[in-house]
Amino acid sequence: MTDFQIQRLLQERRIEDYAAVDGEVVGFLEKAVRGIADAQAGISEEGAFLRAYEATFLCATAAILNAGYRMRRSAEGHHNDLVLVLRHLGLPAFTDLGNRWERLKRRRSQSMYDGDARPRPEDVVAMIAVAGELFAAVRQEVESSRPSARVMLPTL
């Protein structure tokens, strides 16, 4: 049974049913690994925060593809929808990480659109942690639901 929030987004054509191939899902996880590595590489706090945010976005995209959906490219507010879908896929780890990401997403918006706003050091640490934990949770879910992808899955 499809969660009511996911059903609503499907009806509004903000997401769509989609049968992703293994390589697609794995590709997003590979990009996420690079993003997490960049975030941990001693770049500026703002750069680290944004790369960890992007890595989280990529992990969430992989999770949603793995679950049989994809975001519609033309949908406005796709960052919000991505977090919403992640939180409603029915996996407690995804719900918890989606909730943590939602709180940090506000910092990303401030950093991107407010000229003098910057993430705090504790926000950077928290964003990198969410990215790494979501990567691990998505990797585990992909590994269990797509045995054919196991040999391709990246590690942190």
Side-chain angles (χ1 to χ4, degrees), residues 28-84:
F28 279 100
L29 291 175
E30 289 172 340
K31 289 179 186 183
V33 166
R34 291 190 295 274
I36 293 167
D38 288 351
Q40 296 171 329
I43 59 178
S44 70
E45 285 181 344
E46 189 170 18
F49 182 86
L50 293 174
R51 284 299 282 154
Y53 178 92
E54 180 183 350
T56 304
F57 186 92
L58 293 164
C59 289
T61 300
I64 289 165
L65 287 171
N66 189 59
Y69 307 105
R70 77 173 170 185
M71 306 307 297
R72 296 200 27 103
R73 294 195 199 306
S74 61
E76 191 172 314
H78 64 279
H79 285 243
N80 292 326
D81 291 346
L82 187 66
V83 175
L84 181 64

Side-chain angles (χ1 to χ4, degrees), residues 20-26 66 139-154:
V21 297
D22 292 351
E24 244 178 317
V25 176
V26 169
N66 189 59
R139 187 184 191 289
Q140 181 179 357
E141 183 62 21
V142 171
E143 190 171 20
S144 68
S145 64
R146 294 177 180 259
S148 56
R150 287 180 184 158
V151 298
M152 299 187 303
L153 286 169

Side-chain angles (χ1 to χ4, degrees), residues 5-17:
Q5 290 287 12
I6 292 175
Q7 188 61 43
R8 180 181 61 83
L9 292 174
L10 285 165
Q11 288 171 347
E12 293 173 3
R13 300 186 44 80
R14 292 163 66 178
I15 64 172
E16 60 191 1
D17 290 314

Side-chain angles (χ1 to χ4, degrees), residues 52 97 100 124-134:
L97 289 161
R100 289 168 53 199
V124 176
V125 170
M127 192 72 253
I128 292 171
V130 168
E133 290 173 42
L134 184 57

